[in-house]
Amino acid sequence: MSNPEMRRNWAIIAETGYSEEQLADARPADYSLADIKWYSMALGLPHMLPDLCTRDIAPRTLAWLSRMAARAAVAALEEFRPK
């Protein structure tokens, strides 16, 4: 992993698992690992398929992309900011 913080967090989790405090902090999240996984692949859809990724045809997909882009964790990753 190129991100040192992610590497450090994965090493801690692999060694000790999540603490109760970390689990409690993560439970209110309104997104999942699936959102994280698919966002990196779906981000380019409006550019690759502009005729299919319109507000009329795919309003929920575009809304989801917008919500994901607004997340602090995504905004912190320069390579995943919408262009």
Side-chain angles (χ1 to χ4, degrees):
M1 289 179 212
S2 61
N3 182 311
E5 184 178 353
M6 287 180 92
R7 249 192 333 270
R8 188 173 44 257
N9 288 341
W10 276 104
I12 291 168
I13 292 163
E15 187 175 314
T16 61
Y18 288 108
S19 69
E20 285 302 317
E21 182 180 333
Q22 289 167 318
L23 288 172
D25 188 43
R27 285 188 182 113
D30 59 350
Y31 67 111
S32 69
L33 288 175
D35 290 300
I36 295 166
K37 164 77 173 154
W38 284 103
Y39 180 74
S40 65
M41 292 185 275
L43 182 59
L45 286 174
H47 302 290
M48 294 180 340
L49 303 168
D51 294 339
L52 296 176
C53 288
T54 66
R55 294 203 188 281
D56 292 333
I57 296 171
R60 288 186 267 174
T61 299
L62 293 175
W64 173 77
L65 285 169
S66 180
R67 286 192 309 275
M68 289 296 293
R71 299 195 72 74
V74 174
L77 299 171
E78 186 174 323
E79 65 269 21
F80 290 107
R81 289 186 195 135
K83 306 257 186 288

